[in-house]
Amino acid sequence: MSPQTSMTPAYYLWLIPLLPFVGFLINGTLGRKLPRAAVTAVALFFTAIPAGIVAWLWSVMTATNAPEAIHAVSRPWIAISGFQVNFDFTVDHLTLIMLGVVTGVGFLIHLYSAGYMAHEEGYWRFFAYLNLFMFFMSVLVLASSFLLLFVGWEGVGLASYLLIGFYFKKDSASDAGKKAFIVNRIGDFGFLLAMFLLVAHFGNLNFTDIFSTITQHPEWHGGFLTAIALLLVVGATGKSAQIPLYIWLPDAMEGPTPVSALIHAATMVTAGIYMVARCHTLFDRSATALIVVAIIGAATAIVAASIGMVQHDIKRVLAYSTVSQLGYMFLACGVGAYAAGIFHLLTHAFFKALLFLAAGSVIHALSGEQDMRNMGGLRKRIPITFWTMTSGVFAIAGIWPFAGFFSKDEILYQTFISDNPIAKLLWLVGLVTAGMTSFYMFRLWFKTFFGEERFEEAAHDAHSHESHDSHAHGVHESPWVMLLPLVILGILSLVGGWGHVAFGNFLDPVFGSGAVAEVATTASHSLELTLAAVSLIVVAIGFFFAWLFYYKKPGTAAALALKVKPIYSLLENKYWVDEIYGAVIVTPLLMFTRLILGGLVDTGLVNGSGALAGATTRGLSTLTRRVQSGNIRSYAGWLALGAAAILVVMIFGRSLWVH
Amino acid sequence: MVPTAYYLVLAAILFSIGVGSFLIKRNIITIFMSIELMLNAVNLTFVAFAHHWHQINGQIFVFFVMVVAAAEAAVGLAIIIAIFRTRQTLNVDQIDLMKL
C-alpha cells in the first residue's frame, strides 16, 4: 500500500468510534440543560457522520480489485517486556459488513428513537447512552486485537446494562439490567481465560499475528486450540444469548423498544457470532469446538423457538425469536459456513430491527400495551406499520423472495452438506425450527393485526405504560420519524437477500473461498433447490397452523393448549430454566452467602474478632484501672516496687542475659 | 577508719526506714519527714562515694539535694496547711480526691 492511498481511509477510521463518543460526552454532560431538539440533533449528527464514513469506506474497498484490509495508524497501548498490544483498528470485508450494520441500522434506530422517546423523561440520558453504545460497538468491530475487542465487548455490555435499566424506577427493569450484566460476566470469564491462553501460547493478542502463526503450523489440531476455542465460545454464548446463558435476553425487553431493536437484535448480540467468525482460523482447527458450536446453535434455535410459540408479550416473542435466530447463526459457524452465518446476521439485522421497531410502533399506537391478547384488528388503524411489519414477518419466516429466505436457506443447505458427523440431525432441527419460526411469527401477525379489536380505547389508562401517559388518546399511526426507518428497513428486508451469491464472494478474502464456492457448483444446485422446497413447505405448514389457530378458528389454540396442558405449561414457563438456575445456582449461592459468609465469616470471624479485641481491652483496662486508686501511699508503693524491680534487674539481670 | 560499705549499709537502712514509714504512716507530716529521711540517706551515699573515689561531684550533689529538699519542704508545708484548712485533717487516706 502506498502512503497516499492508505493514509486517508486510515485517518477517517478513527472518526467512526470517536464521533459517537463526542456525542455521548456532549449529551451526557450538557444534555440535561439542552432543549430536546438540540439533544436529538447532536445524537443524530454524531451517528450519521460515521454511517457516511462507512458508506464511503465501502465504496473505497469495493473499488479495488484486490481488496486489502485497511489499518489505522497504530499506537502502542500496552507494552510490557516481550508483550505488546497496539491501539489499532483494522477494516476488512467482515468488519465492513458489521460496520455497515452497526452504523446504518444504528442511525435508523436513532432516528426512530427521536420519535419513540419524544415524551420520555431522561430523553438526553437515553441518547447519551445510545451514542456510548455506538462508540463501544464500533470499537468492538474495528479492533484488530482480542484485547481491544474485549474493551468494546465490555463497553457494549455496560451500555446494554444502562439501557435495559433505563426505566430505573421500575424494579423489573433494573433487575433485568443486573441479570444481563451478571450473566454476561460469566461468559466474559471464559473470554478472559481464552485470552490468557492465547498470551501463553502465542505471546500476543493481535488477530493477524495469531492467525498467521496458526496458518504456518498446519500440523496443529485440537489440543490447546480446542481449549481456547471452547473458552471463546463461553464468551460468545454470553454475549449472543446462547444456551446456557440466553436467559438475560428475554428479560432485557424491559428496556425501551429502540434499545431492543438496536442492541438486543441487530448489533451487540451478534458480537459473539462476529467473534467466532473472526476467529474462524482457530475454530477450523478444532473439530470438537465446531461441533460444540453447532450443537449449541441448533439447540438454542429450537428451544427458544418453542418458547416463543406460546408467549403473550409481543416483545418477548421477538426476543425469543432473536435468541432462536442467533442460534441459526451459531449453527452456521459450527458447520464452517461462516459466510452464511454473517449473511444471516446481516439480513436478521434488517428484519429483526424492523420487527422490533414495528412492535414499538404498535405499542406506541396502543399507548404502552404489550400483551397480544389485548390487540387485534390493527391492520386498518396503522397501515404503514402493518405493511412494514408484514415485510419483516415474511422475511423472518423465510418466505421467498424476502431476505430471511435466502440466508436461512443458505444455513440449512450448508448444514446439510457439511461433513459434521451429525449434520443431518442438525439440519432437521434447523428445519423444525424454521417451521416453528413461521408459526410464531404468523401467530404474532394474526393476533396483532387481524381478527376483532380486543383493546379498549376508553380503558387506556388502566394498562397505560407509565411513561406513555402523556398521549393517552386513541389508536394512532406513529410520526414520520418512526415510520421512515420502518419503511427503509422494510425495503431492506424485502430485497436484502437477493445478492447472496455476491455476498459469499464478498467475504472470500476473509474466510477463503472454500465454503461458499460449493453453492455455485451446478452439481449441488438441484440438492439446494430441493432443500429450499422442503423448507418452504415446512414454513407453509407453520403458516397454516397459525392461520388456523388465530384467524380461522380463534378458539382452537386455547382448546389445544388445554389438551396438552403439561407441554403447554412447560413451554409457557420457558422450561422453568430460570427456576432451575434459581434452584441450582442462585439459592445455594445465597445459602452459602448467608450461612457461611454471612453467618460464619462475617458474624463469627469478622464481628467476633472485633468483639474479642474490644472485650480484651475492656478486661485489661478494668485490671489496670485499679492502679489509679488516688491513694498516695499505694502510688508510693507501686513506685517503690518498680524501683526495687529495676534494681533487681540491674543487679541480677546481667547474669541472666549473658548465659 | 570506717569502711565505705558501712556508710552504704547505714544509708540503705535509713532509706528503707524512710520508704517503710512513707508507706505505713497516715499523717502527712510524718510522711514528709520520711521523705526527708530518704533524701538524707541518699545524701549519705553521695558523700560516702565522694570520699571513696576522692571526687568532689558527690559533695556538690548533696548541696543540690539539700536545696531542692528545702524548697520542697517550703512548698509542701504550704500545701499541707492549705489542705488542713479545707479538710480539717492530715490523714492521707481521707485525701483521695484524685481517685477514679
Side-chain angles (χ1 to χ4, degrees), chain A residues 626-641, chain B residues 19-32 34-35 38 76 79-80 83 87 89-100:
Chain A
R626 293 174 200 283
V627 176
Q628 181 85 359
S629 64
N631 186 325
I632 289 177
R633 292 184 306 132
S634 83
Y635 290 161
W638 289 115
L639 204 71
L641 210 66
Chain B
V19 171
S21 52
F22 186 96
L23 293 179
I24 293 163
K25 287 296 181 182
R26 291 208 175 101
N27 189 304
I28 198 164
I29 297 193
T30 324
I31 289 171
F32 229 75
S34 46
I35 292 171
M38 283 188 278
I79 293 171
I80 289 168
I83 288 172
R87 304 192 60 110
T89 179
L90 284 179
N91 186 341
V92 286
D93 285 352
Q94 289 168 14
I95 310 166
D96 52 2
L97 284 172
M98 286 175 76
K99 193 172 186 171
L100 268 173

Side-chain angles (χ1 to χ4, degrees), chain A residues 280-490:
Chain A
H280 66 99
T281 320
L282 187 77
F283 279 88
D284 280 339
R285 293 299 180 81
S286 168
T288 322
L290 279 181
I291 289 176
V292 168
V293 171
I295 291 174
I296 287 178
T300 308
I302 195 161
V303 166
S306 64
I307 299 173
M309 290 198 300
V310 297
Q311 295 299 309
H312 297 300
D313 185 318
I314 187 167
K315 280 178 75 183
R316 278 191 183 254
V317 174
L318 293 177
Y320 280 107
S321 157
T322 303
V323 175
S324 173
Q325 298 302 311
L326 289 166
Y328 267 117
M329 298 173 209
F330 246 64
L331 174 63
C333 292
V335 297
Y338 304 102
I342 296 295
F343 185 42
H344 195 54
L345 187 159
L346 178 69
T347 58
H348 178 258
F350 297 150
F351 58 68
K352 189 49 70 62
L354 166 64
L355 285 169
F356 266 116
L357 294 185
S361 183
V362 169
I363 295 166
H364 191 82
L366 297 177
S367 303
E369 180 58 65
Q370 298 199 10
D371 195 327
M372 290 192 297
R373 285 171 293 193
N374 300 325
M375 296 177 183
L378 285 171
R379 188 174 27 146
K380 299 241 166 53
R381 301 296 198 101
I382 42 173
I384 301 177
T385 305
F386 168 69
W387 283 111
T388 48
M389 189 146 190
T390 304
S391 171
V393 169
F394 276 57
I396 192 172
I399 287 172
W400 189 86
F402 288 86
F405 167 77
F406 296 98
S407 52
K408 198 181 288 182
D409 192 52
E410 181 76 24
I411 290 175
L412 289 175
Y413 171 65
Q414 293 286 350
T415 309
F416 193 80
I417 62 164
S418 75
D419 47 10
N420 192 310
I422 51 168
K424 303 294 183 285
L425 178 68
L426 292 173
W427 171 79
L428 193 64
V429 171
L431 190 67
V432 174
T433 308
M436 288 176 165
T437 308
S438 165
F439 173 76
Y440 68 67
M441 284 318 297
F442 283 113
R443 170 177 179 264
L444 183 148
W445 194 57
F446 283 122
K447 283 189 101 163
T448 311
F449 293 110
F450 292 87
E452 57 194 85
E453 299 183 353
R454 285 183 293 269
F455 51 88
E456 293 167 60
E457 290 185 37
H460 258 117
D461 300 320
H463 330 268
S464 182
H465 194 291
E466 55 180 333
S467 45
H468 280 276
D469 280 343
S470 49
H471 47 107
H473 45 82
V475 177
H476 54 285
E477 185 63 285
S478 304
W480 70 267
V481 276
M482 290 167 69
L483 294 177
L484 183 66
L486 283 179
V487 171
I488 294 172
L489 287 168

Side-chain angles (χ1 to χ4, degrees), chain A residues 193-252:
Chain A
L193 290 180
M195 281 205 284
F196 296 153
L197 276 182
L198 282 167
V199 173
H201 283 283
F202 296 93
N204 106 35
L205 286 170
N206 296 328
F207 289 137
T208 44
D209 294 344
I210 288 172
F211 298 145
S212 65
T213 312
I214 294 176
T215 321
Q216 283 161 19
H217 293 270
E219 75 281 7
W220 284 358
H221 279 284
F224 71 94
L225 293 177
T226 301
I228 294 169
L230 286 178
L231 287 170
L232 287 176
V233 168
V234 172
T237 54
K239 193 60 82 195
S240 289
Q242 300 294 295
I243 288 175
L245 298 179
Y246 71 93
I247 44 165
W248 65 270
L249 187 57
D251 284 19

